[in-house]
Amino acid sequence: MQKIVVKGPASSANLGPGFDTFAIAIDGIYDLVSITLEKQKGIRIKVKRAKIPSEVRENTGGLVASNIFEEFKISEGCTIEIQKGVPAGYGLGSSAATASAVAYGLNKLLDLKLSNSELLRFAASGEVASAGVGHYDNVAGSLFGGFVVVRSAESMDIVNFAAPKNLGICIATPKIPTPPKKTGQARAVLPKSVPLAYMIHNLASASMMVAAFAKGDIDLIGRAMSDKIVEPARASLVPGYHEIRRMALKAGACGVAISGAGPSMVAFVNLKKVKAAKVAEAMKKGFASAGVGSEIIITKIGKGASVLNR
Ligand code: HSE
C-alpha cells in the first residue's frame, strides 16, 4: 500500500468535570488527511483550505510523522496532504484531528501494528506543535471515537463507550478571532490548587458521567456535566458563557459545557424529550446576548479515525 486517505474527526474535550480526561468524537466534522509513501526521504506537507503551518515540525501532523519515521527508522519519505474541516482554535480538537489521522494512517500504511496506547502517544506528540502542551483527551476522542476516558499516569489506560442512541449534541462556535496558542492561554488562567470541596464535586461528577455512559442514561450524563474548577476560571474567555448555559438548559439541554479550551460551547440533548434545534437556537441567543454571532452545529457523538479509501 502506497497511499491512504484518513478521516480524523473533531472532538470535544473535558465535558465539564473531565479536564484532560474525557472527550467525545464529533460526527460530521473532520480533517481529511492523505498520506503517500515515496522513495524520496523526508516529510512534505501540503495544506488545503487553512492557514496552518506547513513546516514539518510546526505542523501537528508533520510532527507526528517525523516522530514515527524517526522512531521506526523508516528509510522512505512521504507527502501528507491535509484538508482541514475542523476549525483551528475553537475548542474542537483541530490539531488532534490532524495528528490522529496521521498516526492512524501511518500505522496502517507502514504496518506498524501499534497498540492503542502507542497510537495515542504518537498522536499526542503532535499536539505539542500547536498547543505547546501534550494532553491526551482530544487525540483519544479523535482516534477511538465514542465517549473516551483516558488516564495517563503510571500506565496509559483508555476506555471508550458507545453513545446512547438518543443523545444529541449541539455545538455553538462564536464568530470571534482566537489567538494563536489559545489552548496555552486558556490553561494559564487555571488555578494551581483547588479546595477539597471542589475536588470532591468534580470527582463525583466525573465518576457519575462514566457510570451514566456505561448505563446509557442520557439525563444522568447531562446532570454530571458540572465543573467547579476549570470552567469558572475560563468563563470570562467565552462571551455570554452564563447566558448560553442558562438559556440552553432552559431550552431543555440536559448538560452544557465549554468545549475543550473553548470558546465553543457544547450541549447534550435527550432527543427522546427535546428537539436539538431548540437548544441550538438558545445557544445562539446566548452568544448574541454578548453581541457575538455564532455557528451552530447539531450532530451526534461519532466514531474515531477511519480510512476513507485505499
Ligand atoms: N483538556 C484540554 C484543555 C483540551 O482544556 O486545556 C484542549 O482542547
Side-chain angles (χ1 to χ4, degrees):
M1 201 199 316
Q2 285 305 307
K3 182 175 175 179
I4 196 165
V5 183
V6 178
K7 256 175 151 181
S11 55
S12 180
N14 303 339
L15 305 174
F19 180 68
D20 281 1
T21 304
F22 292 168
I24 51 169
I26 299 170
D27 192 35
I29 315 175
Y30 53 85
D31 286 358
L32 267 189
V33 175
S34 122
I35 310 172
T36 311
L37 282 186
E38 288 148 351
K39 289 238 155 16
Q40 190 194 347
K41 260 188 113 50
I43 292 154
R44 292 154 286 279
I45 307 279
K46 289 184 188 164
V47 179
K48 278 189 182 171
R49 284 178 32 192
K51 284 196 185 122
I52 55 165
S54 54
E55 295 80 39
V56 174
R57 294 204 71 87
E58 278 174 39
N59 179 284
T60 176
L63 195 55
V64 174
S66 120
N67 290 340
I68 290 179
F69 272 59
E70 238 172 75
E71 195 152 324
F72 290 92
K73 301 190 179 19
I74 308 290
S75 56
E76 305 154 285
C78 72
T79 294
I80 300 175
E81 209 173 288
I82 302 165
Q83 198 171 318
K84 290 298 294 175
V86 185
Y90 288 89
L92 298 175
S94 178
S95 52
T98 310
S100 308
V102 170
Y104 184 89
L106 282 177
N107 184 37
K108 289 219 178 292
L109 210 49
L110 299 167
D111 197 23
L112 300 175
K113 300 190 171 60
L114 297 176
S115 66
N116 280 353
S117 57
E118 285 169 323
L119 255 182
L120 186 62
R121 184 168 60 80
F122 278 115
S125 73
E127 280 277 70
V128 177
S130 65
V133 280
H135 53 86
Y136 295 92
D137 45 4
N138 285 109
V139 266
S142 239
L143 269 175
F144 307 118
F147 164 68
V148 185
V149 182
V150 60
R151 176 179 177 274
S152 55
E154 307 80 32
S155 61
M156 180 78 85
D157 299 310
I158 309 148
V159 177
N160 66 340
F161 298 83
K165 199 170 108 238
N166 287 304
L167 175 54
I169 309 288
C170 299
I171 293 165
T173 301
K175 292 182 188 161
I176 52 171
T178 56
K181 309 273 182 207
K182 179 230 47 178
T183 300
Q185 294 187 19
R187 293 174 85 87
V189 302
L190 301 180
K192 299 278 177 286
S193 58
V194 299
L196 185 64
Y198 290 1
M199 192 278 277
I200 294 168
H201 175 90
N202 273 37
L203 180 60
S205 302
S207 308
M208 201 52 79
M209 188 176 286
V210 176
F213 267 100
K215 285 167 65 104
D217 184 334
I218 295 173
D219 295 324
L220 187 56
I221 293 171
R223 286 205 300 283
M225 227 168 171
S226 170
D227 167 27
K228 283 199 188 291
I229 298 171
V230 174
E231 290 213 0
R234 287 180 169 172
S236 63
L237 304 177
V238 181
Y241 169 82
H242 294 287
E243 273 301 275
I244 297 162
R245 272 190 63 81
R246 194 185 64 76
M247 292 173 97
L249 290 170
K250 194 168 162 226
C254 55
V256 188
I258 298 177
S259 180
S264 296
M265 294 287 290
V266 58
F268 281 1
V269 183
N270 187 341
L271 299 174
K272 259 192 167 168
K273 298 183 182 169
V274 175
K275 283 206 169 21
K278 210 176 144 208
V279 172
E281 207 41 51
M283 294 170 87
K284 200 173 182 64
K285 282 192 184 139
F287 273 118
S289 74
V292 170
S294 57
E295 297 269 0
I296 299 296
I297 293 158
I298 296 174
T299 184
K300 287 200 152 197
I301 293 180
K303 59 180 184 153
S306 59
V307 176
L308 192 68
N309 59 25
R310 290 186 181 183

